[in-house]
Amino acid sequence: MSDKNTPPGIITSPVSHTTVDDIYGLALGVMFISVGLNMLHFSGMVTGGVAGIALLLSWFVEMPIGYLFILVNIPFMAFSWWKMGSAFTFKTLLVNIALMAASLLIPHLLTISYIHPLFCSLVGGTVIGMGILCLARHNASVGGTGVITLWGQKVYGVNAGKTQMALDVIVFLVALVKVPGGLLLWSILSAVAMNAMLLKWHKPGRYTGA
């Protein structure tokens, strides 16, 4: 809806997403995150957020990343239900199930023989960030620390990207135990690329879709 003083084509009130919009947006988010994770996993990198925690655990536990996603997310799902509501939590649960399925399927659809660490960290991190942004636009997340960052932005107005970067520092400190120094530096670059998407594009008031 526009008023007399609003230039043509500029919408001043939120336009709700349809069910088809949500399905498409969530599917895109899952696709981006799955591809990005597959790139980082192939290169032996970790990244920030719940994705980084799952990748880090994969160094210690012989289990598909998708399963690790689910296990890591259990306590965060409880927090999500408590603070973010049932709709957000339900969508996030669906996303996690889809990510688990995609993580098992993608290695059979996409085979990587070589990828330069610079390309992997920048593109892989950015693709994951784009996926997280898609989910946030449709009131969902991958869970984990993403739930906390989105809640912080929603309630206190703290930029989700800044909070995520602070939490990522903890992940990388733990990664020092297992990940070689060179790979850790590339991994940090991937986290910067991932969070840059949220810092730049996920700002209060910028997007009015509901």
Side-chain angles (χ1 to χ4, degrees):
M1 183 181 295
S2 302
D3 57 33
K4 296 178 183 178
N5 299 319
T6 303
I10 301 298
I11 298 173
T12 58
S13 59
V15 177
S16 297
H17 290 129
T18 66
T19 301
V20 173
D21 291 338
D22 280 340
I23 292 173
Y24 186 41
L26 296 179
L28 285 176
V30 169
M31 179 183 69
F32 287 142
I33 293 169
S34 299
V35 171
L37 281 178
N38 191 62
M39 292 170 63
L40 296 180
H41 185 62
F42 173 82
S43 297
M45 297 181 191
V46 296
T47 190
V50 68
I53 297 172
L55 283 168
L56 185 59
L57 286 177
S58 71
W59 283 70
F60 300 91
V61 181
E62 288 294 330
M63 187 181 294
I65 295 176
Y67 294 156
L68 293 172
F69 247 96
I70 296 291
L71 292 176
V72 169
N73 263 320
I74 291 175
F76 293 102
M77 286 294 181
F79 179 86
S80 174
W81 185 276
W82 178 38
K83 291 294 187 179
M84 299 294 283
S86 57
F88 178 89
T89 305
F90 180 68
K91 286 182 180 179
T92 299
L93 179 60
L94 289 179
V95 165
N96 273 261
I97 293 172
L99 279 171
M100 180 179 68
S103 71
L104 297 174
L105 183 62
I106 282 185
H108 300 287
L109 302 176
L110 176 66
T111 301
I112 302 174
S113 59
Y114 171 76
I115 182 169
H116 192 280
L118 177 61
F119 181 89
C120 181
S121 57
L122 288 178
V123 177
T126 299
V127 168
I128 293 174
M130 186 65 204
I132 294 173
L133 185 63
C134 283
L135 299 182
R137 291 295 195 234
H138 294 270
N139 194 33
S141 79
V142 294
T145 55
V147 173
I148 297 175
T149 59
L150 292 176
W151 169 73
Q153 178 160 311
K154 180 179 179 181
V155 177
Y156 298 106
V158 180
N159 185 275
K162 293 180 180 178
T163 308
Q164 187 64 62
M165 280 192 173
L167 293 171
D168 289 346
V169 171
I170 300 174
V171 175
F172 288 119
L173 287 175
V174 176
L176 283 169
V177 177
K178 189 71 175 178
V179 181
L183 278 179
L184 185 61
L185 291 176
W186 289 119
S187 297
I188 291 172
L189 182 59
S190 78
V192 171
M194 179 182 74
N195 286 304
M197 292 297 298
L198 297 175
L199 283 167
K200 181 64 177 177
W201 303 111
H202 193 48
K203 298 180 179 179
R206 170 164 288 181
Y207 183 80
T208 58

